[in-house]
Amino acid sequence: MPIAEKSACVRHATLSLAASYVLDYKRNELLEKRANFHHKKAVLLLDKELKDRHNFLPGKEEALIAALIIITHTEEKPKWHLATRLAERILDYSDPAYNYQSPNNVQFSRARPELANIICLDNVLSDCVFPLDPHNSKCRYPWLLRGNPREQRRIISFTGFSSLLMHYFVKITHLSARRQKYPNSDIIPTVGSAIEEVLSEFRQWSGLSEGCEGAEALFDSCELVDGKVTTREKVTELIAESYVAAAQIYLHCRLFRRRRNDKIVQAFVHDLLRNIDMQPTSGPLFTAQTPLFSIFIAGIAASQPKHRDIIRNWFIPVCTDSRGNVPPTWDAMQRIWEWVDEYDLAHPYNKDTGSDPPAISQDNSDAWWEELVEKIRVDYGRMNLA
């Protein structure tokens, strides 16, 4: 860890986190004292480093961001969100392309895009299932779009998908907030349709492969053993593609306000769950990249018993041996199913008319996603789906 070699704060944060993982499996009083010591030392050093404006200059911010990422892994809500928002502001201030007309050509370190995407993984995905901010007038995280077009489609190892796709989630959330404020806008549906077209042929690549041309091509290329893929290459491709399908569901349900039993939404749910069903849930290929967010989005839109069975069969064994975000996410998923079923009974969707609902209505009617995320906020607060 080169950053840890240069930063005492990162070293102490790393030692604290490592000790906390060991303590999850075996309690030890001496180790617990050492973990607390390193955590307190990291927090004190972080406070000192945050007061030094030199650390906010381009190229000087990496140790701060790394320390915030590590420390938040041992914090409960809502501290993790406060820390990631602070990291977001540091990335804003230290953006090396801030004063350039053509920011894609600006040079930056190898660590910065990785750290930026890790921060966004918490914030961006959490925003998808949280009430919209009506005061946010601009699209956030412009520094996600640094680098050339090919680099923007590179799958980030920690997150499992590319920075460009991450920014499309940001755009959909931003447009949804604008739509809520300006329901009669002609621009919003036009931009939304443009995003829909891009996502329909969205290709990502990694150091393992160049990816596939869409979901069907990917599924056809997968060789299964007991229904699961067995190579790092295919797991990486499936995870990245699962986020594309999740983005499509999110676009249609939140921005276009299609109901979950709309045939367009259900087609994406079907593809997404077919994808999830091919991924291993144990062994060396079951890693931190596992797309909990994609599974959660599929669960929100799942209206058929067979689809919910796939989600249930994923969560139950994983929750048995899991720590962190998975068990509370499964608890929320079950409550969401109760709520969306009640909503559908109270607001019947007429799917026998032979005509689809408009892609986007000219009012704020049937904003079921907004009602749902308000329920989530009340019952569970801000969820971390990373």
Side-chain angles (χ1 to χ4, degrees):
M1 244 184 118
I3 296 177
E5 293 177 3
K6 300 176 182 179
S7 170
C9 180
V10 174
R11 284 199 301 274
H12 284 289
T14 302
L15 289 168
S16 173
L17 179 62
S20 72
Y21 271 97
V22 176
L23 289 168
D24 279 341
Y25 297 99
K26 185 176 181 180
R27 305 305 300 180
N28 180 289
E29 185 176 351
L30 179 60
L31 183 60
E32 187 171 356
K33 288 181 179 179
R34 297 302 298 172
N36 289 332
F37 165 78
H38 287 299
H39 180 74
K40 291 177 181 178
K41 189 70 174 178
V43 171
L44 289 172
L45 289 170
L46 178 63
D47 181 64
K48 179 181 178 181
E49 296 295 325
L50 286 170
K51 294 175 181 177
D52 184 354
R53 303 300 295 179
H54 178 75
N55 292 325
F56 289 70
L57 296 174
K60 305 296 183 182
E61 78 285 2
E62 293 169 2
L64 272 181
I65 301 300
L68 284 166
I69 289 170
I70 297 168
I71 289 172
T72 56
H73 276 275
T74 59
E75 297 288 356
E76 299 296 330
K77 61 181 184 182
K79 289 183 179 180
W80 69 265
H81 183 63
L82 296 175
T84 53
R85 287 303 300 269
L86 173 59
E88 178 190 341
R89 290 197 292 273
I90 295 171
L91 287 164
D92 285 340
Y93 293 141
S94 61
D95 185 0
Y98 182 78
N99 292 320
Y100 290 84
Q101 187 174 0
S102 300
N104 289 347
N105 297 323
V106 173
Q107 294 183 342
F108 46 82
S109 70
R110 290 180 58 187
R112 182 180 169 93
E114 299 282 340
L115 295 170
N117 276 270
I118 293 172
I119 289 298
C120 286
L121 189 70
D122 290 336
N123 288 355
V124 173
L125 303 188
S126 175
D127 283 343
C128 294
V129 291
F130 197 75
L132 298 166
D133 180 3
H135 305 295
N136 189 14
S137 60
K138 65 178 182 178
C139 196
R140 292 157 58 193
Y141 314 107
W143 27 263
L144 280 173
L145 301 179
R146 302 301 178 240
N148 60 49
R150 174 173 168 80
E151 184 64 22
Q152 292 175 17
R153 289 176 180 263
R154 179 177 64 87
I155 297 170
I156 302 297
S157 58
F158 186 90
T159 66
F161 61 109
S162 66
S163 58
L164 181 59
L165 182 56
M166 180 83 78
H167 202 262
Y168 275 114
F169 280 108
V170 178
K171 287 179 180 177
I172 295 168
T173 302
H174 174 69
L175 285 171
S176 298
R178 300 298 289 174
R179 184 210 166 163
Q180 194 170 50
K181 190 172 183 179
Y182 304 106
N184 297 318
S185 169
D186 294 327
I187 301 298
I188 293 172
T190 302
V191 178
S193 296
I195 292 175
E196 180 184 9
E197 184 175 353
V198 170
L199 292 176
S200 68
E201 298 180 351
F202 197 88
R203 188 168 186 166
Q204 303 171 87
W205 64 276
S206 72
L208 299 172
S209 75
E210 288 296 312
C212 293
E213 292 281 0
E216 283 302 321
L218 172 57
F219 297 154
D220 290 342
S221 71
C222 290
E223 296 181 5
L224 307 180
V225 176
D226 296 329
K228 306 293 183 182
V229 296
T230 59
T231 66
R232 291 171 55 208
E233 173 190 344
K234 289 304 167 187
V235 169
T236 300
E237 291 175 0
L238 285 170
I239 289 172
E241 183 61 32
S242 79
Y243 281 100
V244 177
Q248 291 168 317
I249 293 170
Y250 183 55
L251 171 72
H252 282 279
C253 289
R254 190 166 208 177
L255 179 59
F256 290 166
R257 295 189 178 171
R258 291 184 184 274
R259 294 285 286 278
R260 64 195 183 98
N261 41 10
D262 181 279
K263 65 181 182 180
I264 293 177
V265 174
Q266 284 304 300
F268 289 127
V269 171
H270 174 78
D271 284 349
L272 177 49
L273 290 178
R274 184 182 174 190
N275 178 319
I276 296 299
D277 209 27
M278 292 182 182
Q279 298 181 35
T281 55
S282 62
L285 294 178
F286 182 60
T287 69
Q289 279 189 345
T290 296
L292 177 62
F293 172 81
S294 299
I295 296 164
F296 192 72
I297 293 297
I300 291 176
S303 61
Q304 300 179 36
K306 64 179 181 179
H307 290 159
R308 290 186 177 180
D309 285 343
I310 293 173
I311 294 165
R312 187 179 292 107
N313 291 337
W314 186 91
F315 268 109
I316 290 176
V318 172
C319 284
T320 302
D321 300 316
S322 181
R323 68 189 298 277
N325 299 332
V326 179
T329 301
W330 172 229
D331 180 67
M333 186 85 274
Q334 295 171 86
R335 178 66 189 94
I336 286 168
W337 283 345
E338 294 176 6
W339 185 87
V340 292
D341 289 345
E342 292 170 359
Y343 184 90
D344 284 351
L345 287 174
H347 306 82
Y349 171 67
N350 186 4
K351 59 182 178 181
D352 299 322
T353 60
S355 61
D356 294 327
I360 184 168
S361 60
Q362 292 299 310
D363 57 36
N364 279 330
S365 62
D366 202 15
W368 69 273
W369 194 279
E370 305 313 325
E371 293 189 41
L372 170 63
V373 297
E374 178 59 24
K375 293 282 186 182
I376 293 174
R377 184 194 67 80
V378 171
D379 292 346
Y380 298 96
R382 180 175 280 275
M383 296 189 66
N384 189 331
L385 298 172

